[in-house]
Structure formats: structure tokens, C-alpha cells
Amino acid sequence: MIQRIVEADGCAEGTGLTSDSSSDGIELVDGMCGSGNVAPIDRLPNEVLLDIFTLYGIIEGRSRNTAWEGLYLGNDAYTVELGHRNHWVSLMLVCRFWRELALATPYLWQEIDVRSSTKWLQLALQRSRDAHLTLIFHPGSARAAVPLVLPHAQRIRRLILAHPFTKRKVELPFFLPLLRTPMTNLYELALPYIRVQPETERGYAVLPLSQKHFPGLRVLHLPGFAVRWVPSVVARLRCLSLQTSTSPGPLISADRFLDILETCESLEDLQLRDGYIFSAIDVEGLDDAQERIVRLPRLRKLVLGDQPAVTSWLLSRLDLPLCTSLHIIGKPPTPGAPPTGKIGFASFLPRDHSGRHALPMPLLSTVTHGSITVISRDSSDFTVTSDAAAHVTIEPVAQVDGNRALVEFSELFAGAALRDLQVFQGISASTDFHAWDALFRAFPKIRSLILVRGLAHDSPAELLQSLGGGGRSADVDVGADNPWDDRASSAVLPALSSLAVEGAWYRPGLVGSVLVMLNRRATSGLPPLKSLRFRVIGTREELKQDVLRELGAHEHALRGTARRVDISYSVRSTL
């Protein structure tokens, strides 16, 4: 027998630990640790035991599905591990020595999940002594907990308000006394997620964010607040994320905005969303702004969600490090914004000296992977990544069809040494021969091509025709003996070794059309593919026999043009 627990009021939510009238609520019965026998684990140094306590809390928390509660900002997740730090407390029940060790170690108590019951909060505040605190407030906790925390404000290092805004209750007023209290050691302030969307909710509250108020602040995630773009707020930050926020007061010039940005030499993560820059600067003066370059040497992540003209202007003024990840999020034009013409992918990027839209960053010279997603005319994005783990993602809010997406990708990233490309096509995202041909000729070094058809009901004939170097005929019929124009153009993607098409809509003659493509590539002197994979779909089980018959008729020829061939059929109901 190692321990027993005396039932009383709970003091650690989610841990199973209970308390009575004693200070810690635990009654122990001496076990292995308290007897003359010394278990091997009790020979470990205290530092190792404390590491075990910490790891146990993480593992136990994850096993209870409470460890990873993500707090999100759009597609860029800001994740905090919530709800597992208390689980190590159950180890205090093993023996008196472990309990005494935990009680004598303040840092074990310094990360506190603050919930509706304040019993655990009071216990942890006491036992953490003078240690810095990480406080994670959960919904419904502020009203009772904030008065208890205020005397300890100078110890707070990380303050995370998890979901302070809900559809039923807005808890922010209960937090304001704490947020407006000077905190000398505050390093991180985060309200990572907010359900306040209407424009009228912007600038919900003004916080004192100056260096005098929070001198140690380096990480700031704020949604729905009024945040001034001034050096005293932003110059010292390592991470700044503003969502549905505005810059109060008079507009500043574009040059002044850059002057302040240039003081942020320590900035590593910058996320300005939902038109924050547009709310801060005089956009009518963008054309008159100085031609200058701002360098942020430590920047590793940049997220911009603003008007196309504002985004393209800022990118034209930044010299981004090679390892920076860039995420551009489109925003519909706001009344008063400069005219942009057609709002597509290119409209968010500045023009180079030749007048072509391009990314003014060295990242393009290292790009090796690309992704094009066109789910519908209202939902599309581009992503390119490099071996250095940096990436560029562009999400315009625009009517972009499949053809336009392929052509714009070809134009924006032409010259990049892409090795791998994935294209996802959803509903109404059909593409023609010319768009595919432009895409493939822009990136001749592609070795792996994956096409995911999604719910598109057209066949991949245009794709196959382009890969085979065929000329465009008036009407492509995949069931014909020679479905393409005999006027062959030069072969595309000479380095291609792997081709996968997921969700190719079946039409009779599809397998033969694949074989024609492979033969034409072989005729052009290109080596056989190492891998060819087709996932064919249809509406009837009977069509599977047609696919098998075609495979049987062409199996020997297919084996001669690709080292590995995998063609399968599945039934999908119509929408």
C-alpha cells in the first residue's frame, strides 16, 4: 500500500486531488519511500525527480485530452498548452518525500490554470512564493480570480486570457483592473482568439502598453483593441499580433509608419491583420512616400491582412531575411482605399523594375515546393516553400477561377526552382490546356506533380495533353484513338519522375489517354516515370469493369513507360 486520499473539497481541478481542513489536503500512509527500504527511484537527484514530475504532468494531461487547447488567429495558430500543468500534483500522494520536495519547489506551482473555482489558484499563489507566474484564465474565472491575483501583479510573466469573449458573456471588463495595473515582469500578454467580428467592435478597449507600464513586455497578441503605432509600444517587441484592431488617433504618414517599424530591431513575428495598417496610415499618400528599404534582421514570420495597395506598398519597402515566412491574406476593398483594379494574387505584390508583379525577397531563389489550391471561385491560395522551412502563402479575397490561378502562379513565381508541385481543384475549378502549359513551362525542374481533383467533374484530359507536349485541338476526346492534335509542341517537365492524380473523373478511354501521354514523352526522349498513380472515380460500380478492361488491354505498354503504375477505381456519389 502506498497512499490513501481523504475525500473533501477539491483543490486541484482535473487532477483527482482532494483536500480537507489541513493546508494541503493530503493524508499519507508511509510506503516504500518512508520505510527502511530505498527504492531505486529514490536514489535519483532531486533535479531529476522534478523533471519527472513535469514530464508526468504533460503526459497525463495529454492522455486526458486536456493538453492541447489551441488558441488561434486565422490560419496561423498560436497554441498554448492548457490544462495539464496541474496533473503532476497526484505524485505528491506517492510518499512524504515527494510531497515535501514538491512543496519546497516554487516553480512547480508557477503555471496556473485559472478556472471558476479559486481554490487551486489560492493554493498555487501561496506555494509559488516569489516565483514568476504564468496565468491562463479560462471562461468564467475573471470576476472571482482577478481580485486574488492583483496583489501578485508584479510576479506575472505570462498572462493569457483564453477565450475572454464568447457569444453569451464578455468578461473583458473584469480583466481591466489587472490589465491597467503596471506589471514590471510581464513578458507576454495574449488574448489569442476573439469572436468579435463586426467593424463596430473594433477598438473595444484601450490598454496602457507603454514601456513605462509594461517594461518587460516582448510578446503581444491582441484582438479587438485600440493599439497605437508608436515606438513606446512596438519598438521593444519580439512578437506582435493584432487582429480586428485599430490605431486610434490621427492618421500617420506612410513614412512615419516605416520610421517606427525600423525601430523594431528585435521583431521576430509580425502579424497585422484585418486592415490594421489601413487604419493607421494616410493611404492617399502612399504614392508620395519615400523610396526606402526597411530591414528587420530577426524577422522570421510576417502575416499581412490588408488592402492590396497597402500590402504591396509595404512589401516593396521591406528587405525580408531569407528564412522569413510570409502569409498574405486578402481583404475586400474598403471605401476610401486606393483603386486596385482586378483583385487577384498579383494585386497584393509590388511591381519590379520591368513592371511585373513579383516578390521582392531572396526567398524566391530558394523555393523548391509549391501548392495551388482553388476550391471555388471565392476560395483559393498559393503556397511556396523552401528547404530552409520558410514559406510564402497568398490568399486573395477575389473571384479567381482555375485557369487564372495557374496563370498567376506561373507569372508570380517564374524562375523559382520548383521541384514539387501540388494542385488541388475543387468545385467549378476546371482548367484548360493553355493554363497547364503555361504552368509547366514556367517550372521545368519539377520532379513530382500531384493533382487532387476534389469534387471537380471534368476529366484530366487537358493536363495529360500538356504533359505529353501535344498541341491544342478543337475538342479533346479521351476516348479517341489519338485524342490530341498531331502538331506536337516541345515536351514539358523534362525532369518529371512522379505523377499522381487523385480523383480523376472516369471517362471511357482514360487509360489509353494516359498511355498516349507517356508514349509522347518517350518519343521526345524523356526518361520513363518512376511512379504513376491514378485514383479514378465514377458514379457506378459497373464502371470498375471498364477500367479493369482498359488496364488489361494496356498493361504491357504501361509497364514500358513507367516503372511503377498504380491505377485504381472507386465509386463516388454525385452531388
Side-chain angles (χ1 to χ4, degrees):
M1 182 172 62
I2 297 180
Q3 86 281 342
R4 60 186 173 92
I5 303 175
V6 177
E7 297 292 342
D9 294 333
C11 69
E13 298 181 32
T15 64
L17 183 63
T18 57
S19 68
D20 56 11
S21 58
S22 64
S23 62
D24 52 43
I26 303 173
E27 180 178 333
L28 297 171
V29 175
D30 285 338
M32 295 282 293
C33 300
S35 66
N37 299 322
V38 180
I41 194 170
D42 295 313
R43 300 189 184 101
L44 294 176
N46 290 352
E47 294 80 5
V48 176
L49 273 177
L50 292 173
D51 287 341
I52 292 174
F53 286 8
T54 302
L55 290 174
Y56 175 83
I58 295 174
I59 296 171
E60 182 69 8
R62 291 175 181 173
S63 69
R64 300 188 189 191
N65 298 319
T66 60
W68 299 99
E69 183 176 341
L71 306 177
Y72 296 99
L73 284 170
N75 291 332
D76 298 273
Y78 170 71
T79 303
V80 181
E81 298 178 36
L82 303 180
H84 73 254
R85 296 297 184 184
N86 301 340
H87 288 292
W88 63 265
V89 178
S90 58
L91 296 179
M92 293 176 65
L93 302 171
V94 171
C95 66
R96 293 187 185 279
F97 176 71
W98 284 20
R99 170 180 170 274
E100 292 168 359
L101 179 62
L103 291 175
T105 309
Y107 81 78
L108 285 177
W109 305 86
Q110 66 184 159
E111 183 164 319
I112 308 172
D113 283 308
V114 184
R115 301 183 184 272
S116 55
S117 173
T118 62
K119 294 180 179 180
W120 174 252
L121 171 64
Q122 295 178 68
L123 194 65
L125 288 174
Q126 175 188 352
R127 292 181 176 175
S128 58
R129 301 178 190 175
D130 295 327
H132 288 162
L133 298 174
T134 291
L135 300 180
I136 303 171
F137 283 84
H138 294 264
S141 62
R143 190 169 198 166
V146 167
L148 299 175
V149 170
L150 278 172
H152 303 272
Q154 299 308 315
R155 297 169 52 200
I156 299 175
R157 180 169 175 81
R158 299 177 66 218
L159 181 58
I160 300 167
L161 313 184
H163 307 289
F165 295 83
T166 66
K167 293 181 180 179
R168 298 180 181 177
K169 185 187 332 183
V170 179
E171 294 190 272
L172 182 60
F174 301 117
F175 285 111
L176 290 180
L178 177 61
L179 294 173
R180 290 172 176 167
T181 299
M183 288 182 259
T184 306
N185 291 302
L186 186 67
Y187 179 87
E188 176 180 359
L189 174 60
L191 282 73
Y193 183 79
I194 185 171
R195 296 188 182 185
V196 177
Q197 295 300 332
E199 297 291 330
T200 56
E201 301 286 0
R202 288 173 173 270
Y204 183 89
V206 178
L207 300 181
L209 298 171
S210 68
Q211 186 169 0
K212 181 179 179 181
H213 199 78
F214 298 143
L217 188 64
R218 297 296 181 268
V219 178
L220 182 62
H221 296 265
L222 286 182
F225 282 81
V227 181
R228 296 184 61 200
W229 188 257
V230 292
S232 61
V233 173
V234 302
R236 66 192 189 279
L237 296 178
R238 294 179 55 192
C239 176
L240 173 62
S241 177
L242 300 177
Q243 179 191 20
T244 62
S245 295
T246 56
S247 179
L251 298 177
I252 62 176
S253 68
D255 288 325
R256 180 55 180 162
F257 183 91
L258 292 179
D259 288 340
I260 297 171
L261 182 61
E262 201 164 25
T263 67
C264 303
E265 297 180 353
S266 300
L267 204 58
E268 299 173 8
D269 184 340
L270 177 61
Q271 302 184 37
L272 302 177
R273 301 163 174 271
D274 303 304
Y276 176 82
I277 303 175
F278 182 82
S279 76
I281 67 173
D282 178 10
V283 294
E284 294 183 358
L286 287 180
D287 293 336
D288 300 326
Q290 298 178 9
E291 291 285 341
R292 58 187 289 195
I293 297 297
V294 173
R295 292 176 174 82
L296 301 174
R298 298 187 179 183
L299 193 67
R300 296 298 177 265
K301 181 178 183 179
L302 175 62
V303 180
L304 298 175
D306 221 302
Q307 307 296 331
V310 173
T311 300
S312 62
W313 163 78
L314 183 58
L315 288 175
S316 70
R317 301 300 194 268
L318 293 178
D319 181 12
L320 299 178
L322 187 63
C323 53
T324 301
S325 293
L326 172 64
H327 188 176
I328 299 172
I329 305 170
K331 189 178 186 303
T334 299
T340 59
K342 292 183 178 180
I343 304 175
F345 293 91
S347 62
F348 292 91
L349 302 179
R351 297 181 183 273
D352 60 17
H353 296 296
S354 66
R356 184 177 69 90
H357 288 282
L359 283 170
M361 54 191 303
L363 171 64
L364 279 185
S365 63
T366 67
V367 163
T368 55
H369 312 280
S371 173
I372 304 172
T373 300
V374 186
I375 298 175
S376 66
R377 290 179 62 86
D378 298 317
S379 179
S380 56
D381 66 73
F382 292 165
T383 299
V384 292
T385 60
S386 70
D387 290 336
H391 69 271
V392 177
T393 299
I394 308 176
E395 296 180 63
V397 177
Q399 294 283 318
V400 179
D401 60 22
N403 285 327
R404 183 177 175 186
L406 297 188
V407 171
E408 283 206 49
F409 189 92
S410 307
E411 294 173 349
L412 292 180
F413 303 112
L418 286 186
R419 298 196 305 259
D420 308 295
L421 177 63
Q422 176 171 320
V423 182
F424 180 88
Q425 292 179 282
I427 300 174
S428 305
S430 58
T431 46
D432 62 25
F433 166 81
H434 296 293
W436 286 115
D437 198 58
L439 178 68
F440 295 151
R441 294 189 186 283
F443 308 106
K445 296 183 179 180
I446 289 177
R447 297 186 302 204
S448 174
L449 174 64
I450 300 175
L451 172 63
V452 181
R453 303 292 288 179
L455 299 175
H457 279 222
D458 56 335
S459 76
E462 306 278 3
L463 167 72
L464 296 175
Q465 185 185 17
S466 177
L467 288 174
R472 179 67 172 93
S473 58
D475 185 20
V476 177
D477 179 7
V478 297
D481 292 335
N482 184 9
W484 305 331
D485 193 331
D486 286 331
R487 294 170 297 175
S489 58
S490 58
V492 298
L493 303 187
L496 187 67
S497 62
S498 176
L499 172 64
V501 180
E502 306 285 347
W505 203 257
Y506 176 72
R507 293 181 185 177
L510 175 62
V511 178
S513 192
V514 171
L515 180 59
V516 171
M517 178 271 292
L518 294 172
N519 284 333
R520 293 188 71 138
R521 291 181 64 83
T523 302
S524 300
L526 301 181
L529 297 181
K530 294 181 179 179
S531 175
L532 173 67
R533 185 174 74 250
F534 262 71
R535 297 288 183 260
V536 184
I537 59 174
T539 57
R540 303 195 315 273
E541 183 66 30
E542 299 78 42
L543 291 176
K544 183 175 183 178
Q545 300 304 318
D546 296 339
V547 175
L548 292 176
R549 279 193 292 271
E550 287 192 39
L551 283 173
H554 300 295
E555 180 178 5
H556 180 73
L558 286 171
R559 298 295 179 189
T561 54
R563 298 179 187 176
R564 179 181 179 184
V565 179
D566 180 6
I567 300 179
S568 62
Y569 176 86
S570 61
V571 176
R572 176 178 294 176
S573 60
T574 57
L575 298 178

